[in-house]
Amino acid sequence: MAELPQIHSVHASQRGRASHQAPKRSGKPAPLAFFNWPFLLVIALLVGFGLLVCWSAVYGDEKYSFTRQLAGVGVGVVLMVLLWHFDYRRLANMTTALLVINVVLILSPHLPVIGVEAKGAQSWINIGMQVQPGEFAKVTVVLFAASLLARYQGTLDDWREYCKALGMLLIPFACIMTQPDLGTGLVYLAISAVIMVMAGAKGRYLLITVVAGIAAIAAVFALDELLKYQQSDGTWEYRLLKNYQRSRLLVFLNPEGDLSGDGYNLAQAKIAIGSGGLFGKGLLNATQSTHGFLPEAPTDFIFCVLAEEMGFAGVVVLIALYGALIAICLSIARGADDLFGMLIVMGVIGMWLFQILENIGMDVGLMPITGIPLPFVSYGSSFMVVNFALIGLIGSVWSHRSTQGRKAA
């Protein structure tokens, strides 16, 4: 990889002008000023609300353990505090190391001893307990993309440099698709896209990339039709995309065409959301999930459980908490001292927004069904730990800003 210039610490109002160094900090912040208390309050309210919905969704279902979810919160809080104190700027020039960590994490499920296959994907490893490395790689993808693109100091207008950066950003996506895990791969792309936009990539280059991506998706479907083969039981098998992946994407275009498969799941999701009315049926009264009509209710379709039990009022509370979370994160990004810190925060915002819009959108039929969880609400201890780790990174950007950055925020 060609040597790129080192990242310069530049204040938010001067990003892209490497000659202006970040102002010196006037000592360590007071203990109470070290933490962003409105930020932590919103997180506490969101996590508490999410745990309430999750508890109701998993109640009485032996397949899920609410204690494990609470353990994920506990581990996540410890990791959040550690990362909040850690100086994120120490990672600014570790682009290559972060890329290597990404590749190792994402490809580790393919190792013969620890790799575990579940639900048609090689996405898990067994190290005394089963974990999903691709989930934890979301943290390193944010750091890698921010480190890589911060090196361009806010201006990415050279076509060759753009292509080189794009190629490197696609490496984690290519690795996750070997499992294959399309949902997590889309999250990686969302993180990279937001960071690339905020890093100053030319609009023309971004538009060409989007068009090329759409063309690539169409080409995959067309090639799969040519390469498909018939199995002994008479069903057709595709080589590039799994049958369930194709079904999930195609049912978005024609939800009434497969009411016995993924179309059925979408129909039940809409019934659950609509039946909640204004104030819902009450906790533990979500008939669609408790009677087995709604598959994977605590994970993929947790929003449907919320809407059925708490109604439109509960949905408004959740959206308001998400709105407050994003607003505070944007303020922290604005007050960051350097481009690297700003890109970290914006990458996390991009990830959360994509997951929120995709999860809620797929439940109401506005987005394809991809199995992407809802931040701080969906069941999954690893998912919870990752979200807390990302909070810790945002907190690190907040706590290590200069006096000028504090005024900007």
Side-chain angles (χ1 to χ4, degrees), residues 53-62 64 268 272 275 281-298 301 304-305 308-309:
V53 177
C54 185
W55 167 77
S56 181
V58 303
Y59 185 82
D61 192 336
E62 297 180 356
Y64 302 97
Q268 296 302 319
S275 65
K281 301 175 180 177
L283 292 175
L284 303 179
N285 291 322
T287 55
Q288 289 298 109
S289 58
T290 55
H291 292 170
F293 296 110
L294 194 63
E296 306 296 338
F301 294 97
C304 300
V305 178
E308 187 175 6
E309 293 187 343

Side-chain angles (χ1 to χ4, degrees), residues 107-125:
L107 294 182
S108 61
H110 293 294
L111 295 175
V113 177
I114 61 175
V116 177
E117 182 177 349
K119 297 180 181 179
Q122 193 80 21
S123 303
W124 299 79
I125 60 173

Side-chain angles (χ1 to χ4, degrees), residues 49-194:
F49 189 71
L51 285 174
L52 182 63
V53 177
C54 185
W55 167 77
S56 181
V58 303
Y59 185 82
D61 192 336
E62 297 180 356
K63 190 168 125 180
Y64 302 97
S65 169
F66 186 68
T67 303
R68 183 180 176 88
Q69 186 77 349
L70 291 176
V73 172
V75 173
V77 168
V78 173
L79 185 57
M80 178 195 74
V81 173
L82 292 175
L83 287 174
W84 198 298
H85 283 78
F86 177 77
D87 191 343
Y88 72 95
R89 292 169 296 190
R90 295 170 61 182
L91 302 173
N93 294 304
M94 296 180 61
T95 307
T96 303
L98 289 168
L99 176 59
V100 171
I101 292 171
N102 270 315
V103 172
V104 171
L105 269 176
I106 298 171
L107 294 182
S108 61
H110 293 294
L111 295 175
V113 177
I114 61 175
V116 177
E117 182 177 349
K119 297 180 181 179
Q122 193 80 21
S123 303
W124 299 79
I125 60 173
N126 191 339
I127 50 175
M129 59 178 179
Q130 287 194 8
V131 296
Q132 195 172 8
E135 192 67 38
F136 291 99
K138 291 175 181 176
V139 179
T140 51
V141 166
V142 170
L143 292 170
F144 163 64
S147 174
L148 172 66
L149 292 170
R151 293 174 177 269
Y152 294 98
Q153 301 169 15
T155 304
L156 184 52
D157 54 6
D158 181 270
W159 175 247
R160 289 169 296 182
E161 290 297 322
Y162 176 85
C163 289
K164 181 169 65 176
L166 179 62
M168 293 182 67
L169 290 174
L170 287 175
I171 291 175
F173 175 77
C175 291
I176 199 71
M177 290 308 295
T178 64
Q179 295 185 3
D181 187 347
L182 179 60
T184 303
L186 291 175
V187 174
Y188 293 171
L189 292 182
I191 293 169
S192 301
V194 170

Side-chain angles (χ1 to χ4, degrees), residues 374-393:
L374 193 60
F376 302 103
V377 182
S378 287
Y379 177 86
S381 56
S382 297
F383 182 57
M384 192 66 79
V385 170
V386 167
N387 282 306
F388 272 104
L390 293 170
I391 293 170
L393 285 177

Side-chain angles (χ1 to χ4, degrees), residues 7-12 15-16 146 149-155 198-199 336-344:
I7 298 174
H8 294 274
S9 181
V10 183
H11 189 260
R15 294 183 186 102
L149 292 170
R151 293 174 177 269
Y152 294 98
Q153 301 169 15
T155 304
M198 299 306 299
D337 279 341
D338 57 4
L339 183 58
F340 179 53
M342 186 273 283
L343 292 180
I344 288 176

